[in-house]
Amino acid sequence: MKTCPYCGSKVEKLDHLRYYCEFCTMNIPSDLVKEDGVRISVIYKERASKKDLEKTTPELMLLPTVDLLFLLKEVRKVRTDTTNEIRKLKKEIQNVGSVSSSDREAYELLNEDYIFFSKKMYVIENIIKTRLGYIPPRLDKPFFEKYLKNVKNKKKNFEPMNVYSKYENQDINDILNS
């Protein structure tokens, strides 16, 4: 039986692309509809790439929270690396005592990168804040070990929901005798 991935209720087919859940009062895309109360699944990867930072804010909003946490770790690292490059360039300029056109161009490019990565970091932090209620200050190994343990919790995360429509037409005496 086709069921809602959020509440486990039986869903009605609207067309080949959508179903409707009366309890949740919402349309559900057919690719999200589950069978027999199976819970919604989250597919994620345990790493992020710098290429993911090119995604738009609406695209980032579609990523699972765990992917965003890994991406936040990556953008913080890239932003720190950019800051270090800017400091190094400033120090070189101070040692030479003058600014060449190539130094000026390098500084402008690094500054553009710093602004870009800062804004991406803010976007990712704010998406995470809306989901978790806070922005994690440190994304270190202990944080990810604990978080991934909860994500992979097979007992609770994969426990099917009761499909209550099974009990709709049962007589109370049948229930008591079973």
Side-chain angles (χ1 to χ4, degrees), residues 28-100:
I28 301 168
S30 58
D31 60 329
L32 286 183
V33 171
K34 299 298 180 184
E35 291 283 336
D36 300 323
V38 170
R39 291 183 184 268
I40 196 163
S41 53
V42 177
I43 299 167
Y44 64 92
K45 51 190 181 217
E46 291 187 25
R47 58 178 164 46
S49 77
K50 198 172 172 182
K51 187 174 172 80
D52 289 333
L53 294 173
E54 296 170 13
K55 292 184 178 190
T56 64
T57 300
E59 290 173 323
L60 290 171
M61 292 172 82
L62 297 175
L63 292 176
T65 304
V66 65
D67 285 0
L68 289 172
L69 289 166
F70 281 105
L71 195 54
L72 179 57
K73 182 179 181 177
E74 177 67 21
V75 75
R76 284 178 177 174
K77 179 189 177 305
V78 172
R79 182 174 177 255
T80 300
D81 292 347
T82 304
T83 302
N84 291 336
E85 289 296 316
I86 289 172
R87 285 187 186 129
K88 196 161 84 175
L89 181 59
K90 283 182 178 179
K91 193 173 185 178
E92 287 175 18
I93 291 169
Q94 286 173 344
N95 288 341
V96 173
S98 65
V99 181
S100 68

Side-chain angles (χ1 to χ4, degrees), residues 1-11 21 23-24 34-40 155-168:
M1 166 185 10
K2 300 282 186 195
T3 57
C4 175
Y6 300 103
C7 72
S9 299
K10 184 178 176 183
V11 292
C21 175
F23 181 83
C24 293
K34 299 298 180 184
E35 291 283 336
D36 300 323
V38 170
R39 291 183 184 268
I40 196 163
K155 184 177 180 187
K156 193 66 179 165
N157 290 334
F158 296 102
E159 179 181 292
M161 298 173 282
N162 288 329
V163 181
Y164 289 99
S165 60
K166 289 190 244 181
Y167 305 109
E168 281 177 7

